[in-house]
Amino acid sequence: VHLGESGGGLVQAGGSLRLSCAASGLSFSNYAMGWFRQAPGKLREFVSGITRTGDSTTYAESVKGRFTISRDNAKNTVYLQMNGLKTEDTADYYCAAAVGDGLYKLQNSFKYWGQGTQVTVSS
């Protein structure tokens, strides 16, 4: 199983980025997906999650209204559209896959993890 994140980079505050996570080696449509992030010196935290069908999503309060998670099961890919970026969004962003029909937020619910992509938001 491989989860490969892309789309990170350096952006000014107020800007946008779209992260992608391409999955291989698993039946993608059987997995709920999530995005997490880890800022320097901080613990990894939940950002957003989506059910395996894409019919339900959830967000951390800190990103609600600015970030949008989506998925394309035909392309085995989950996305995170990030608008209105703030300096506090600077972190390594990870996608993760969880088996099941639910919507998951806890890290130990996720079986597979990507290597992460770095997002830096400058002031």
Side-chain angles (χ1 to χ4, degrees), residues 5 19 36-37 47 67 80 82 89 91-94 116-117 119:
E5 301 94 337
L19 305 184
F36 293 79
R37 68 186 181 186
V47 174
F67 290 11
L80 186 68
M82 306 187 295
D89 294 319
D92 291 326
Y93 282 73
Y94 300 87
T117 186
V119 172

Side-chain angles (χ1 to χ4, degrees), residues 56-117:
S56 186
T57 59
T58 186
Y59 299 91
E61 284 298 321
S62 59
V63 306
K64 198 172 291 184
R66 300 187 297 122
F67 290 11
T68 303
I69 190 172
S70 61
R71 66 188 295 160
D72 185 339
N73 285 350
K75 295 183 178 180
N76 289 1
T77 302
V78 62
Y79 305 97
L80 186 68
Q81 178 67 44
M82 306 187 295
N83 298 330
L85 282 161
K86 304 176 181 180
T87 55
E88 52 262 45
D89 294 319
T90 293
D92 291 326
Y93 282 73
Y94 300 87
C95 68
V99 177
D101 293 324
L103 200 56
Y104 306 100
K105 294 184 177 182
L106 298 179
Q107 295 186 45
N108 60 11
S109 296
F110 291 84
K111 184 174 183 180
Y112 301 112
W113 291 81
Q115 294 299 306
T117 186

